Amino acid sequence: MDAKTNSHETPSWLGRTLLAVGISGAAFAALCCVAPFLVAGLVTALGLGFILNDALLIGLLVVFIGVAALGYYVVRRQTCV
């Protein structure tokens, strides 16, 4: 164990995964809010037509932005320490 490795550090893949999931989920929710006709066919074909409700999409957008912010925090904490 070298001097830079701490036992309480999170794995490096965790921050990157949270960041990727957060950004892609936020992009999908924003796309559904702005232009639902672009993804309506795909979402409905998968049986997820209820997602096209604007109140649900705004909530999903906020949650995914939070996940992306958490992933960014984890990545920055690892690179700055």
Side-chain angles (χ1 to χ4, degrees), residues 4-80:
K4 285 188 146 189
T5 305
N6 294 329
S7 61
H8 66 277
E9 284 185 5
T10 55
S12 62
W13 58 268
L14 179 65
R16 291 191 311 257
T17 302
L18 285 172
L19 195 58
V21 167
I23 290 173
S24 60
F28 177 75
L31 184 64
C32 285
C33 278
V34 174
F37 55 88
L38 292 176
V39 291
L42 175 67
V43 171
T44 306
L46 293 174
L48 301 172
F50 64 91
I51 290 179
L52 295 176
N53 184 0
D54 281 338
L56 184 64
L57 285 173
I58 298 296
L60 283 175
L61 182 63
V62 170
V63 167
F64 280 121
I65 287 174
V67 169
L70 178 66
Y72 180 74
Y73 172 75
V74 170
V75 168
R76 292 293 296 168
R77 194 178 92 203
Q78 285 179 343
T79 57
C80 291

